[in-house]
Amino acid sequence: QETILKEFSLTPQKPNLRKEFCEGTPLDIKSKYIVLTTKVRYLNKTHYKEIYNDFWQTINALSNKYKIIIMGERSVEYGPEYAEHGRDIIYSIYDDVIKNINSNNLIDLSIKSLGHTSSPNLEKIKQDSLIMSQAEFVITLGVGGNLVLAIATSKVIGHRSDKLEITNEICDRQFHEDIFITLDFDKFNHKLKEYLKSE
């Protein structure tokens, strides 16, 4: 992708798959909500530990204003696809969500795992897409399928630390008003905190 972008001087475009993907039953809750995805890819655990306290303090504050919807895997099954990366590069933050956020402020739509135990299901993807599209925004850490699906169907606030050229193309350039993905944790955290002040 990065070669095509460079050689033809193209600017990345936000895909819009709401019509194709957002099908199912809306959440039957009266309050506004935020979606937090649990799977993290290419955001090293060393970095995660460095941002841990500030990140969860902000999420906890947001949970007093919005319901937090958890989506993704509770645990990551480490098959051949992940063998070269390891548990410090691909992991789930599900246990940290449960530890840091009051259960009264959570709606848990996570699945046990994805891979050997269960496979992706198109109806579930469409249902998740609908829920994400109706959220105030989706929070992602790292990159991967959760980030791509969120970008295609909803508003996203994300933090990443990878060195991938293709994700550099969408980092900090703000090519669409619904996407805020940054390598700078302080900018990410500040963006989240803006929603503590909004009506």
Side-chain angles (χ1 to χ4, degrees), residues 91-174:
Y91 52 95
S92 172
I93 59 168
Y94 177 82
D95 290 343
D96 292 335
V97 178
I98 300 304
K99 183 164 53 176
N100 284 283
I101 306 300
N102 187 310
S103 61
N104 293 328
N105 300 333
L106 287 175
I107 297 177
D108 190 346
L109 299 181
S110 64
I111 60 173
K112 183 177 179 182
S113 60
L114 195 62
H116 302 300
T117 304
S118 60
S119 300
N121 177 289
L122 184 57
E123 295 308 311
K124 175 80 165 88
I125 290 171
K126 288 183 174 182
Q127 178 65 61
D128 288 353
S129 295
L130 175 66
I131 291 168
M132 286 194 290
S133 73
Q134 296 179 341
E136 292 299 296
F137 57 91
V138 178
I139 301 171
T140 62
L141 292 177
V143 298
N146 55 343
L147 172 61
V148 173
L149 190 62
I151 286 174
T153 59
S154 55
K155 184 172 185 175
V156 186
I157 300 176
H159 174 52
R160 51 175 280 261
S161 64
D162 63 273
K163 307 297 184 187
L164 300 173
E165 281 190 53
I166 188 60
T167 42
N168 284 338
E169 290 293 329
I170 62 171
C171 178
D172 285 329
R173 62 188 290 160
Q174 306 313 308

Side-chain angles (χ1 to χ4, degrees), residues 60-110:
N60 194 35
L62 285 166
S63 76
N64 292 320
K65 184 174 180 180
Y66 304 96
K67 285 286 186 184
I68 305 294
I69 312 297
I70 316 169
M71 282 187 175
E73 299 155 64
R74 292 175 213 147
S75 62
V76 175
E77 291 185 328
Y78 292 92
E81 180 188 353
Y82 298 155
E84 64 183 272
H85 304 296
R87 297 170 190 270
D88 286 341
I89 300 297
I90 301 174
Y91 52 95
S92 172
I93 59 168
Y94 177 82
D95 290 343
D96 292 335
V97 178
I98 300 304
K99 183 164 53 176
N100 284 283
I101 306 300
N102 187 310
S103 61
N104 293 328
N105 300 333
L106 287 175
I107 297 177
D108 190 346
L109 299 181
S110 64

Side-chain angles (χ1 to χ4, degrees), residues 164-197:
L164 300 173
E165 281 190 53
I166 188 60
T167 42
N168 284 338
E169 290 293 329
I170 62 171
C171 178
D172 285 329
R173 62 188 290 160
Q174 306 313 308
F175 67 92
H176 194 283
E177 61 183 5
D178 285 347
I179 301 173
F180 186 90
I181 303 164
T182 179
L183 289 163
D184 187 324
F185 174 74
D186 289 335
K187 288 183 180 179
F188 167 71
N189 203 32
H190 182 267
K191 187 69 173 178
L192 292 176
K193 287 181 176 180
E194 287 180 5
Y195 285 83
L196 294 172
K197 304 169 188 174

